[in-house]
Amino acid sequence: MTFFTVVLRGLWRRPLRTGLTLAGISIGIAAVVALVGMSRGFEKGWQIGLKARGTDLVVSNKSGSLTPKPFDASVRDRIAQLPRVAATCNLLVQVTSVEDSDLMILSAREWGGFSWNNLELISGRMPRDATEEAVVLGQTAAEILKKKIGDPIQIETKELKVVGIVKGGALVEDGSVILSLPLLQGITGSPNQINAIDVRAAPSTSEEQLAELARQIQQLVPEVRAVTVSEHLSHAEGFRLIKAMSWGTSLLAIFVGVLGVMNTMLMTVFERTHEICVLLAVGWTRGRIMRMILYESALLGLFGGVLGVALGAIGVKVLSEAPAIRGLLQPDLSIPLLSLSVVIAVVVGIISGLYPAWRSSRLTPSLALQAG
Amino acid sequence: MIQPSASAASLLEARALTRDFDEGQVRALRGVDFSIKEGDFVAITGPSGCGKSTLLQLLGALDRPTSGTLFYRGESLPDHPNPAAYRARDVGFIFQAFHLLPTFTAAENVQIPMFEIDRSVSERREHAFELLKLVGLDHRLDHFPAKLSGGERQRVAIARSLANGPSLLLADEPTGNLDSENAHSVLELLIRLQQEQGRTMVLVTHDPAIAGRAGRILRMKDGQIVSDGKP
């Protein structure tokens, strides 16, 4: 018998309570995995989408929301003159409801811009020109909207025609309704307005040079923000809010988990007063008693964490297929996030066990003799 | 600091030992003096509430005296730098209510005190087997306490008390929860172990017949030793 056996026996002596505590902590950890995984997935999906389009820098309005506020398209002409700018593409991107879908990315791109180039036609054709009243759908968007070639599609007040279905090399691209920029500007009544410029830097531009280019753009046009693809979403207020809410909700769930484990371990100490006193009477040190309680609570955290990660992973997969958000994000179930979740659970377990462990070490061994 | 004893030949020596509870309102021990030599079998007897168990707790460093001194091998127990080590290595407890841990088998219960000394997992297992064999329970190694009779549980408890080879066995009414047949065999086992292995045993009992088996009887009344002599 090892010390670990003693610790495990402590957990198994009340299987129902241990199970319920595990359920409590695993729900907290599942919330971390699901909420943070989804927000990170959204971020990652957006980045992959931008990278798939060959974008190095994104220029947008400083007062960022999830889809930034529009600004004048002429800004592009000033930026295009900068050295190391190989190409630019004006965009007007909205996340809006389209027909029965509550959240759909509407991606209007400058006709002929490089942001069209990554789109691989699966069926149908591309719009003939910038003015044709037609859209192409990413393959996921076509599934969500249940559209095929030739079907009409209502974009705000305008009925357009689906002429092609494309694969964009990223979930965000596949989940978008893509149309020409002048068409959406016309529909929204905002000619010459854009809310993003995709900038492609010259080949062999280093990271430092890219950062320098971003600085130059901001100097040239102070009212805009130029950021790399990986930083793009972190500047969006809307996304920051989503992220903060994800962590906030997760922390609340973790706090509930802490209380659950602490309650269980305190109950354990109260119920096992006699046993702990016997252990002290036969020579166990107070340090060993504390370690026993702390290991038990850490193990509760570990098991709860592993269970929570599994629950969260399943939950996030199910959620990402929900009609409201399908196509918008690719859940991030990366090893770092899953490992972090388990580490959080173990830390939660240890923190929750500190007070019960201290209480247990304060017991007087003579109680063992008095107890019948 | 550990204070030196006046009588280094004694295993245990108490001088003017007192123990008060409830801020002095209850005086469990009122100036107890005695000394016990290595290898002695001493019975402490007296009516309920006379302070027998309180004295045993002080001898086992489960509690501290209010005043007075208590020496073990010439070292002051109340000032012992590591009472847990004393309990683990020098003392073996046998309780009236056995106090086995219900979620551990007989062999595992015997191994519990061994965590405090340097033994490997296999050494712990083998030693537990030897001790259970010594008390006649080598066929009950993997039984949980709930599956053992009262006599068997007390034998496991005796094996546990011997786990780390203590010099001093402290038994608090060890046959109090047993029927007469089991009480007899457990008492015979304790006496055999005490005699064969030369251990010192202090046994608390209110049963004059059991006390009569000891080499010496300390009779207590109202927190004091009222007589000290042979049966």
Side-chain angles (χ1 to χ4, degrees):
Chain A
M1 183 175 67
T2 63
F3 184 61
F4 191 65
T5 316
V6 178
V7 172
L8 279 180
R9 288 293 164 82
L11 290 177
W12 283 336
R13 58 183 285 145
R14 290 266 188 261
L16 180 64
R17 195 172 63 210
T18 299
L20 288 173
T21 310
L22 283 179
I25 195 166
S26 63
I27 287 168
I29 295 302
V32 174
V33 172
L35 295 172
V36 178
M38 298 245 299
S39 70
R40 281 194 183 180
F42 185 77
E43 189 176 20
K44 201 168 139 189
W46 208 267
Q47 285 170 7
I48 292 171
L50 287 165
K51 281 179 182 162
R53 298 208 297 257
T55 306
D56 293 315
L57 292 175
V58 179
V59 177
S60 61
N61 198 307
K62 265 186 179 163
S63 57
S65 59
L66 196 56
T67 52
K69 286 181 183 168
F71 54 92
D72 198 273
S74 62
V75 168
R76 192 275 305 272
D77 301 333
R78 293 152 71 188
I79 292 170
Q81 293 169 3
L82 287 170
R84 294 208 170 275
V85 173
T88 57
C89 181
N90 282 347
L91 296 126
L92 185 58
V93 180
Q94 294 181 347
V95 179
T96 183
S97 61
V98 174
E99 297 190 349
D100 292 336
S101 174
D102 292 333
L103 281 174
M104 182 63 63
I105 301 167
L106 214 53
S107 178
R109 302 171 183 193
E110 180 186 355
W111 188 249
F114 70 82
S115 299
W116 287 91
N117 298 348
N118 66 302
L119 301 177
E120 185 188 327
L121 210 53
I122 298 173
S123 61
R125 60 173 175 81
M126 287 294 185
R128 285 195 188 92
D129 53 45
T131 56
E132 185 187 1
E133 294 184 344
V135 300
V136 292
L137 300 178
Q139 53 185 355
T140 311
E143 273 177 41
I144 294 166
L145 293 166
K146 299 185 181 70
K147 297 287 182 188
K148 54 185 188 305
I149 308 296
D151 283 351
I153 182 168
Q154 192 74 28
I155 305 294
E156 300 202 358
T157 55
K158 190 86 176 172
E159 188 178 283
L160 305 176
K161 193 178 170 187
V162 177
V163 296
I165 293 172
V166 296
K167 200 158 71 173
L171 194 73
V172 170
E173 292 282 89
D174 290 344
S176 298
V177 175
I178 301 158
L179 65 167
S180 79
L181 180 61
L183 201 55
L184 187 59
Q185 285 172 332
I187 292 169
T188 55
S190 48
N192 285 326
Q193 293 291 293
I194 56 173
N195 62 3
I197 304 169
D198 281 357
V199 177
R200 182 181 285 174
S204 75
T205 301
S206 66
E207 288 294 318
E208 291 75 25
Q209 288 167 330
L210 206 56
E212 178 54 30
L213 179 58
R215 272 194 296 275
Q216 286 173 357
I217 291 172
Q218 285 193 201
Q219 273 175 359
L220 187 67
V221 192
E223 65 268 29
V224 299
R225 174 187 286 124
V227 290
T228 58
V229 166
S230 55
E231 293 171 323
H232 175 50
L233 270 190
S234 60
H235 287 280
E237 281 171 17
F239 182 71
R240 283 210 298 262
L241 188 66
I242 290 172
K243 233 176 161 176
M245 282 176 67
S246 301
W247 274 110
T249 312
S250 302
L251 287 175
L252 192 65
I254 289 169
F255 181 67
V256 173
V258 168
L259 292 183
V261 177
M262 192 179 284
N263 178 57
T264 295
M265 295 316 297
L266 268 178
M267 290 281 287
T268 294
V269 170
F270 291 143
E271 279 180 9
R272 286 160 65 186
T273 295
H274 171 243
E275 176 184 325
I276 291 167
C277 288
V278 171
L279 291 172
L280 287 168
V282 300
W284 274 34
T285 58
R286 295 185 188 280
R288 187 177 294 279
I289 299 284
M290 284 184 78
R291 281 205 301 282
M292 179 180 76
I293 300 295
L294 277 177
Y295 284 6
E296 282 183 25
S297 58
L299 267 185
L300 270 179
L302 177 66
F303 294 152
V306 171
L307 194 63
V309 160
L311 277 177
I314 294 167
V316 86
K317 288 277 184 197
V318 171
L319 278 175
S320 64
E321 289 300 315
I325 53 173
R326 190 171 162 217
L328 272 178
L329 59 86
Q330 198 162 15
D332 176 21
L333 296 175
S334 60
I335 297 296
L337 175 63
L338 302 186
S339 309
L340 176 70
S341 304
V342 174
V343 169
I344 288 172
V346 174
V347 171
V348 160
I350 292 170
I351 290 171
S352 312
L354 283 175
Y355 177 65
W358 180 81
R359 282 290 298 255
S360 68
S361 73
R362 297 294 96 194
L363 291 170
T364 309
S366 58
L367 288 172
L369 279 170
Q370 291 160 4
Chain B
M1 283 294 291
I2 296 170
Q3 296 172 17
S5 159
S7 173
S10 300
L11 183 75
L12 283 167
E13 186 166 346
R15 291 179 195 162
L17 209 55
T18 71
R19 179 69 174 102
D20 297 344
F21 295 102
D22 295 337
E23 295 174 345
Q25 290 185 28
V26 178
R27 305 205 69 190
L29 295 178
R30 301 160 184 254
V32 171
D33 295 274
F34 64 85
S35 75
I36 295 172
K37 290 198 186 77
E38 188 123 30
D40 277 358
F41 173 14
V42 179
I44 302 175
T45 188
S48 294
C50 69
K52 308 186 293 287
S53 292
T54 302
L55 180 57
L56 204 71
Q57 286 174 23
L58 297 183
L59 296 183
L62 294 177
D63 195 7
R64 292 168 61 87
T66 305
S67 66
T69 52
L70 180 61
F71 295 99
Y72 173 79
R73 292 193 194 280
E75 293 181 357
S76 171
L77 272 185
D79 301 318
H80 200 290
N82 189 353
Y86 166 73
R87 289 194 295 267
R89 293 163 193 273
D90 298 309
V91 181
F93 279 104
I94 300 145
F95 306 105
Q96 178 180 359
F98 324 128
H99 293 322
L100 298 178
L101 304 182
T103 51
F104 297 90
T105 64
E108 288 168 343
N109 264 287
V110 176
Q111 290 177 57
I112 289 284
M114 298 183 207
F115 281 100
E116 291 302 328
I117 59 166
D118 191 21
R119 278 185 198 272
S120 68
V121 174
S122 60
E123 282 171 344
R124 283 202 290 265
R125 193 173 51 236
E126 283 164 22
H127 190 49
F129 173 74
E130 286 165 12
L131 290 170
L132 284 169
K133 192 176 177 185
L134 186 70
V135 299
L137 281 179
D138 47 333
H139 60 298
R140 297 289 219 179
L141 295 173
D142 298 324
H143 285 66
F144 287 92
K147 299 288 179 191
L148 299 173
S149 70
E152 287 173 328
R153 286 182 210 179
Q154 195 58 297
R155 283 168 183 270
V156 174
I158 292 168
R160 180 181 64 184
S161 74
L162 300 171
N164 295 338
S167 330
L168 177 63
L169 289 179
L170 300 175
D172 188 12
E173 303 276 10
T175 60
N177 274 7
L178 303 177
D179 58 57
S180 57
E181 191 181 334
N182 273 312
H184 174 75
S185 70
V186 163
L187 183 64
E188 292 306 320
L189 173 65
L190 282 172
I191 292 171
R192 176 166 67 84
L193 290 171
Q194 189 270 326
Q195 288 175 347
E196 287 177 1
Q197 300 179 348
R199 296 180 203 277
T200 308
M201 182 157 73
V202 179
L203 185 148
V204 163
T205 181
H206 63 266
D207 184 337
I210 294 173
R213 301 292 303 275
R216 179 178 160 202
I217 301 176
L218 299 177
R219 285 194 174 79
M220 292 186 70
K221 191 178 176 189
D222 297 332
Q224 290 177 311
I225 293 174
V226 291
S227 75
D228 179 354
K230 292 184 183 296

